Amino acid sequence: MNFEEEMKKLSDIASRMESGDLPLEESMQLYTEAVELTKKLKEYIDGAKLKVETLEGK
């Protein structure tokens, strides 16, 4: 998956969790998935930041 797809997936998870209609077990599973997606998205952003800094000569 690319950055945009993973952001969409994270947004979908957040929407589902905000509904408050999920059983605890499913909420915990979605929370775990959201944490993993957040880590991957942070890696994407950190990599992009590094590339920009390299291009700017910092």
Side-chain angles (χ1 to χ4, degrees):
M1 266 193 253
N2 63 30
F3 181 83
E4 289 78 12
E5 291 169 335
E6 295 205 10
M7 278 296 295
K8 170 81 169 96
K9 189 170 185 177
L10 183 59
S11 178
D12 292 344
I13 289 171
S15 294
R16 288 182 63 199
M17 291 183 73
E18 287 173 350
S19 73
D21 296 334
L22 299 173
L24 179 60
E25 187 172 309
E26 188 174 350
S27 292
M28 292 302 298
Q29 181 182 13
L30 288 172
Y31 177 79
T32 301
E33 188 176 352
V35 168
E36 292 302 317
L37 280 169
T38 301
K39 288 177 186 177
K40 289 172 82 175
L41 290 165
K42 183 178 182 324
E43 289 175 11
Y44 281 125
I45 292 169
D46 289 345
K49 181 179 175 184
L50 182 61
K51 285 180 184 180
V52 168
E53 288 174 350
T54 301
L55 291 170
E56 291 180 344
K58 291 184 177 181

